């Protein structure tokens, strides 16, 4: 008997037979969704997803039809040209993998670009997959540029419909109206269906939002472990973060203006941490937050000069995390 899900099949192709994803006790897997694009400052979400897929055993479960979900005119795929002819094109890929943590516990990982189109159909498709694989919990990843310094640990703010699972992670604590994302809609719809949901948002220094920031990826993965109980590796990301920290520190120390801005951010961060018991919010700090403009041309020049280190090179390092 073919027990593959049939609705809505137009958006994805399911591998058959599908990998086993039930735990030793028959428990259903955690589903982690890591969609790039809307909230991926420092590429922390994409780095975390790549790390999980490549540092752990993983098998493809489903592939989504990018033609149905992605607007190529708003995010044009990169094509390679050798001077005479076109050779290849890097088309977007949105997939679900079955991954096993360090203890052999399986979980599902949805990662790739955030869909531009058909959000409701997309969430319906993910709900069908969650039902088929008897998903037990859903966790979404985001990374947000914030007025925080690179010299302090990356912090994570959490939300969801299961407060007990979020433990001691920071909460936003304020009512808000904000532009939505496919990830937010996915969390909402799956929560309405009855799944336990959680969203994890890591804070990335706003002046490094365009660079690869592996420290934030490590913080996200640690938070996944806190919320889900999965045993996930982070050592390679932490090593990459330390190397990046040393490079940035060298630039900061050589420029008094930049050092002054970083010191101001450190003071604000430390004041927040001291007031944490009073539920202070980084989004509504009492003192004025330095803006990205205050970092000025020095950091822009620095990032431009080190684009290879903080871009392609770091990205390849982030992929070699076994």
């Amino acid at each position: 008997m073919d027990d593959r899900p049939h609705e809505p099949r137009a958006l994805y192709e399911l591998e058959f037979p599908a990998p086993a994803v039930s735990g030793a006790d028959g428990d259903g897997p955690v589903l982690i969704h890591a969609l790039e694009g809307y909230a991926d400052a420092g590429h922390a979400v994409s780095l975390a997803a790549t790390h999980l897929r490549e540092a752990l055993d993983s098998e493809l479960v489903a592939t989504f039809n990018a033609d149905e979900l992605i607007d190529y005119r708003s995010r044009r795929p990169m094509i390679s040209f050798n001077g005479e002819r076109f050779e290849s094109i890097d088309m977007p890929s949105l997939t679900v993998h079955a991954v096993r943590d360090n203890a052999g516990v399986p979980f599902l990982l949805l990662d790739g670009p955030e869909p531009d189109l058909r959000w409701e159909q997309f969430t319906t498709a993910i709900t069908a997959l969650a039902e088929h694989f008897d998903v037990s919990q859903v966790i979404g990843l985001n990374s947000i540029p914030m007025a925080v310094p690179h010299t302090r640990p990356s912090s994570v703010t959490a939300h969801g419909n299961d407060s007990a699972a979020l433990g001691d992670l920071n909460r936003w604590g304020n009512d808000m109206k904000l532009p939505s994302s496919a990830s937010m809609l996915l969390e909402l719809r799956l929560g309405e269906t009855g799944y336990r949901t959680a969203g994890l948002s890591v804070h990335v220094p706003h002046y490094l939002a365009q660079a690869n920031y592996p420290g934030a990826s490590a913080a996200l993965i640690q938070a996944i472990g806190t919320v889900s109980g999965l045993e996930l590796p982070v050592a390679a990301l932490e090593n990459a973060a330390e190397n990046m920290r040393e490079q940035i520190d060298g630039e900061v120390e050589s420029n008094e203006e930049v050092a002054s801005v970083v010191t101001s951010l450190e003071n604000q961060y430390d004041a927040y941490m001291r007031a944490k018991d009073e539920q202070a919010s980084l989004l509504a700090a009492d003192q004025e937050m330095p803006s990205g403009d205050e970092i000025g041309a020095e950091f822009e020049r620095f990032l431009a000069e080190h684009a290879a280190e903080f871009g392609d090179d770091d990205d390849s390092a982030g992929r070699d995390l076994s």
Side-chain angles (χ1 to χ4, degrees):
M1 179 178 178
D2 185 356
D3 61 350
R4 290 173 289 180
H6 294 285
E7 293 296 339
R9 288 299 306 276
L11 289 186
Y12 64 85
E13 278 294 327
L14 185 68
E15 295 295 302
F16 187 78
V21 293
S22 296
D25 298 328
D27 298 332
V30 174
L31 168 63
I32 299 169
H33 53 98
L35 300 178
E36 310 161 14
Y38 174 73
D40 193 14
H43 309 134
V45 172
S46 54
L47 285 175
T50 299
H51 172 64
L52 291 174
R53 278 192 287 102
E54 299 191 358
L56 296 166
D57 292 334
S58 67
E59 297 178 78
L60 182 65
V61 171
T63 302
F64 280 82
N65 185 350
D67 282 353
E68 294 292 325
L69 297 171
I70 305 299
D71 179 1
Y72 298 130
R73 292 177 300 177
S74 65
R75 291 185 285 182
R76 295 182 183 273
M78 298 302 294
I79 194 167
S80 297
F81 183 68
N82 70 358
E84 293 186 0
R85 64 183 183 276
F86 296 107
E87 294 188 318
S88 62
I89 188 168
D90 186 14
M91 296 298 287
S93 176
L94 183 60
T95 59
V96 178
H97 282 80
V99 188
R100 292 186 176 272
D101 75 354
N102 286 335
V105 177
F107 63 94
L108 296 174
L109 174 64
L110 164 66
D111 76 300
E114 176 193 28
D116 297 303
L117 310 169
R118 296 178 172 82
W119 281 9
E120 291 287 9
Q121 292 181 39
F122 174 67
T123 57
T124 299
I126 296 300
T127 301
L129 287 171
E131 292 173 352
H132 177 69
F133 290 107
D134 195 25
V135 163
S136 59
Q137 184 183 23
V138 181
I139 301 173
L141 307 183
N142 297 283
S143 55
I144 302 173
M146 299 281 278
V148 294
H150 72 278
T151 54
R152 299 293 185 266
S154 295
S155 58
V156 174
T157 301
H159 52 82
N161 63 10
D162 184 2
S163 296
L166 304 181
D168 295 330
L169 291 171
N170 296 326
R171 310 291 204 274
W172 292 112
N174 298 313
D175 291 341
M176 293 182 246
K177 287 280 190 179
L178 64 160
S180 63
S181 68
S183 179
M184 294 176 190
L185 180 63
L186 187 57
E187 180 178 332
L188 174 65
R189 294 292 185 243
L190 285 166
E192 290 173 343
T193 306
Y195 290 95
R196 294 189 297 125
T197 64
L200 304 173
S201 299
V202 67
H203 308 158
V204 173
H206 59 316
Y207 51 90
L208 295 172
Q210 300 304 313
N212 286 346
Y213 199 67
S217 302
L220 274 178
I221 291 176
Q222 289 170 335
I224 293 171
T226 298
V227 172
S228 68
L230 294 169
E231 298 182 19
L232 304 172
V234 295
L237 287 171
E238 291 176 335
N239 291 338
E242 183 61 29
N243 291 336
M244 184 177 185
R245 163 76 184 270
E246 292 175 0
Q247 295 169 17
I248 299 172
D249 283 348
E251 179 69 16
V252 170
E253 291 172 2
S254 67
N255 187 291
E256 292 184 2
E257 180 181 356
V258 173
S260 175
V261 174
V262 172
T263 297
S264 178
L265 291 171
E266 290 173 336
N267 292 337
Q268 176 181 291
Y269 180 94
D270 293 342
Y272 164 74
M273 294 304 293
R274 287 192 297 269
K276 187 176 177 181
D277 290 340
E278 300 175 6
Q279 302 297 314
S281 172
L282 278 174
L283 292 179
D286 291 336
Q287 55 184 300
E288 182 180 354
M289 293 190 223
S291 68
D293 291 339
E294 292 180 90
I295 300 297
E298 290 298 329
F299 256 122
E300 293 180 6
R301 176 185 62 78
F302 173 61
L303 292 176
E305 290 177 357
H306 295 272
E309 299 171 26
F310 294 164
D312 293 341
D313 288 353
D314 267 357
D315 192 43
S316 61
R319 289 192 293 269
D320 185 15
L321 297 170
S322 55

